[in-house]
Structures are given as C-alpha cells and as structure tokens.
Amino acid sequence: MDLVGACRAFVHVSERNSFTVGAAAARMSQSVASRRVAALERHLGQPLFERGSRRTTPTPFGRHLLPAARRLVLAAESLEDEAERARRAPVGLAVPDTCPRRELARLLAEATGRGIPLDSRPGPPAERAELLASRTVRAALLAVPPTEATWTVRLGVAGRAVPAGRRLYVETLRLGRGGGPARRLCLEPEDDVPHVRDRLLRVCGAVGLRPSQLVVETSPEAAAARALGSEDLLVCSPARAREFGLRWLPVGEIDLVRGYALVAGSADDAERLGARLGEAIARCLGAEPGDSTDPAGTTVPPDHDDPAGPGVGAGASGPTGSGASGSAGSAGPGFSGFTGPDPAGPDPAGPDDPTDPGFTGPDPAGTSGPTGPVGTDTSGPTGPTAGPRRSAP
C-alpha cells in the first residue's frame, strides 16, 4: 500500500468533506481516492469516514488520526522539494587558482549546458585536497605526479627579457665573479609540490645557483608581479605566459610538468565530470595539445644540441663551453669524464639528469670559464637540501 498517497487522499477528503472535491485537490480521480481511503481503513482496522448521502465526515477515529496523517503528508512533500533542490544544486569543484577567469567561465557555462551546474572553488594544491577531504566540495582537481595524471601541463620560464632560443638553461642564471643582482626563478603556490619544486631545486643546486634564487611566492599574482616588474623569471605554463604578455621558453636541463587528476567523493560525480567536461577542464588547466609526459614516467633528457644554451655544467674553457678541452670533436654536455659517444652504444637511461640523486653536477676540475667554476660561491649552501626561499606573506 502507498501509505503517503492514501494519507494524502484521507487528508484532502477530510478537509473538504467530499470525495469528489477532495480527490480533485489531491490531483487524483474520485475512484482512486476511494480505493486509497478504503485500503488505509483496512490497514488501520477502523473506518475513517461516516459516509452519508450529502457529506462525508470523519469518524472519531478518523479525527484522532487526521493530525498525524497531515504531518506525514507535509513531511513527504518537504522531502520531495528537498530532493528537487539537491538535483539542481551545483557540484562543488575545487580548481587551481591559476585557471584563467575566461576559461573557468567557459567551463562553468559548458557544465551548465550539459546539466551539471558547477560551483568552482579556486585554491592552491593543499587547500583543494582539504576541501575534498572535509567534503566541502564534491570533487577536486588535485596536483599529482605526471605518471598518475589525467591531464598534464608543460612548464617553462617566462619573463620580460627572455633571450631568443628554443630553451632557457637554469645555469645561465648563475652569478659570475663580478656579482650583480641575481635573477630569481619564481614559483607559484600551484607548483609548491615535490614533483615540480624538488626537481627544479636539485637542478639549481647542481648548476651552482644560490638557494635564494628559487622563490616560492605567496600567490599567483605575487609571482607574476615579480616577472612583470623585474628581470626575475616566472615558472609557468605557455598559457599563463600569454595571459601576462611574457615570453616563454622551456627549461633546458629538464622537462617540468604539472599533473592533475579529478578526484570525487562518488564514482558517479567522477564519471560525469570526467566524461562530459574533460576537454573544458583541460583548457581551464592550460593543457595544450603538445603537453605530454614520458610513458615510463622518466625525465626527458635536455636537448644538448640546442644552440640557444649550454648543457648542465657548461662554462668551461673552450668556446663551446663543453668541458676540459673545448674542441669541437670532444664537445660534450660538461659532465665529469664525458669524452664523446659511448662506444658501447647509447645509455638506455638517457644522459645524466640533474634530478637524479646520483648526479653530482659538473666536473670542478674542468670548469674555468668566464662565470667561474661551480662551487666558488661562498655565500651559503647551494645543495638541494637548502630548500627554496619562501616569500613572506
């Protein structure tokens, strides 16, 4: 028996003393109302109405149960209204605070058009994870290593005075003997995660940059302001550089990549958002068609044939900055002991990577170029354990 439907018919007929008028108020036919009231009387074991030729009035038993029946009907209607509001309620989605406003607006518009209204909550990586864990939002775009990512975004450096070329080598930011102002690499809070920050930190230590030359800013705007108002460089995506009118180049020593995964509190939310809004999310994150990660999850080796800049550890005596001799026949990336191609064939692991814990940087015995050998800076520790400098709030 439909208890709520039977109580609804009972309440409306009781209030109007007529099966005909009460059934119309309950939006059902008179025959349906009569059947439901009769079923309710059988269920409760007593008649609810005194049926007369002209008026239908509740029995004493019916009058006693009428308030409880009315509360049941009102509670059912309230539940139905709440369910409708829940179906129409936007899905809370935590997104990176680096998403351009235009692309974020396009994502919200596309989601609404596909029947999934969104309520975006921009924030840095740790805040997005906390919003999801506390169930403040139903889904979040979390920062993950590229090997675990659904979307990847290639990073490089951008600034007002980025030299021409295909890559910019971190090594070129090393201070020479003459001193002068140090150009800094500015990280947005979005990249204050191990798979970006720590890899770049190891490169900076390997090529001899001061710890203060890698800065984690307090906000995306503060990081962009550094690049717009000085010679400092912003670590960002190509889309971010275009947004601020800065020239962008990839990093020469390593490939830096952001990774994102959509995590939701329910499998239904994850499937709906990922399947219907995947392309819009990619645009919002700044992912471009060329963005990818190495299938094995390894670092892509630097392009040592790039004429725009030397490899890690360059700055040696020869004009090519290639190592001890500087001759064209033995030009190499400047790693200790490098003398040309390996007779046994290429190393399947690729050339030495500054992010490899076993990498020790350039050979101090073979560096006497104009910028000075690695390790001549006595201002403080330069190793990766020193950590990046963090701007005060």
Side-chain angles (χ1 to χ4, degrees):
M1 184 187 71
D2 179 3
L3 182 60
V4 173
C7 286
R8 182 176 284 112
F10 168 50
V11 169
H12 283 285
V13 171
S14 297
E15 291 175 344
R16 292 160 179 81
N17 299 115
S18 168
F19 270 91
T20 302
V21 179
R27 297 183 180 180
M28 61 183 73
S29 66
Q30 180 179 345
S31 60
V32 170
S34 297
R35 286 197 302 269
R36 288 184 176 180
V37 169
L40 184 61
E41 290 175 328
R42 289 192 299 271
H43 180 72
L44 298 176
Q46 292 284 335
L48 297 171
F49 291 104
E50 295 175 352
R51 293 169 174 82
S53 58
R54 286 191 168 184
R55 288 175 62 85
T56 302
T57 58
T59 63
F61 179 73
R63 285 195 297 272
H64 182 76
L65 294 183
L66 183 58
R70 187 178 287 114
R71 288 195 298 270
L72 177 61
V73 172
L74 291 176
E77 291 175 350
S78 176
L79 177 63
E80 292 170 351
D81 292 342
E82 193 65 30
E84 180 63 22
R85 282 195 294 269
R87 284 192 294 270
R88 295 181 178 181
V91 176
L93 176 65
V95 300
D97 52 11
T98 54
C99 290
R101 290 186 177 182
R102 178 174 179 272
E103 295 303 336
L104 184 56
R106 290 180 63 189
L107 170 62
L108 299 182
E110 184 168 333
T112 300
R114 293 177 178 269
I116 316 175
L118 294 179
D119 176 20
S120 62
R121 295 289 296 272
E127 182 179 320
R128 299 199 302 274
E130 176 59 29
L131 289 172
L132 182 64
S134 64
R135 301 194 177 186
T136 305
V137 296
R138 288 164 56 180
L141 292 167
L142 299 184
V144 298
T147 52
E148 304 171 15
T150 304
W151 300 275
T152 58
V153 180
R154 194 180 187 195
L155 297 176
V157 291
R160 299 185 308 171
V162 175
R166 291 184 299 165
R167 291 176 179 260
L168 187 140
Y169 288 81
V170 174
E171 179 185 13
T172 61
L173 306 180
R174 189 174 60 207
L175 287 174
R177 291 191 181 123
R183 298 181 73 187
R184 288 168 289 195
L185 293 170
C186 302
L187 287 176
E188 297 175 304
E190 184 63 27
D191 297 313
D192 191 13
V193 290
H195 56 274
V196 176
R197 178 199 62 227
D198 292 355
R199 295 183 67 233
L200 188 56
L201 183 60
R202 285 194 289 267
V203 171
C204 292
V207 301
L209 264 64
R210 295 177 177 178
S212 60
Q213 288 183 261
L214 182 61
V215 181
V216 178
E217 292 294 346
T218 57
S219 69
E221 294 77 18
R226 290 268 196 183
L228 290 170
S230 69
E231 298 301 310
D232 292 343
L233 300 174
L234 174 66
V235 178
C236 65
S237 66
R240 191 73 165 166
R242 288 194 297 270
E243 181 182 356
F244 292 112
L246 300 173
R247 173 172 165 75
W248 184 92
L249 285 177
V251 175
E253 288 85 352
I254 55 171
D255 274 8
L256 289 174
V257 180
R258 286 177 186 162
Y260 292 100
L262 176 65
V263 181
S266 71
D268 178 62
D269 283 340
E271 191 279 331
R272 285 195 308 154
L273 294 172
R276 300 185 192 180
L277 301 174
E279 292 185 5
I281 290 174
R283 291 194 305 267
C284 192
L285 294 173
E288 300 189 352
D291 288 341
S292 63
T293 185
D294 183 78
T298 57
T299 302
V300 178
D303 182 3
H304 294 302
D305 294 329
D306 184 358
V312 175
S317 59
T320 59
S322 59
S325 67
S327 62
S330 61
F335 299 129
S336 176
F338 180 82
T339 57
D342 186 352
D347 183 352
D352 289 338
D353 183 351
T355 65
D356 186 338
F359 174 69
T360 59
D363 180 7
T367 54
S368 59
T371 60
V374 174
T376 57
D377 179 14
T378 59
S379 62
T382 60
T385 58
R389 178 172 176 262
R390 298 180 185 276
S391 293

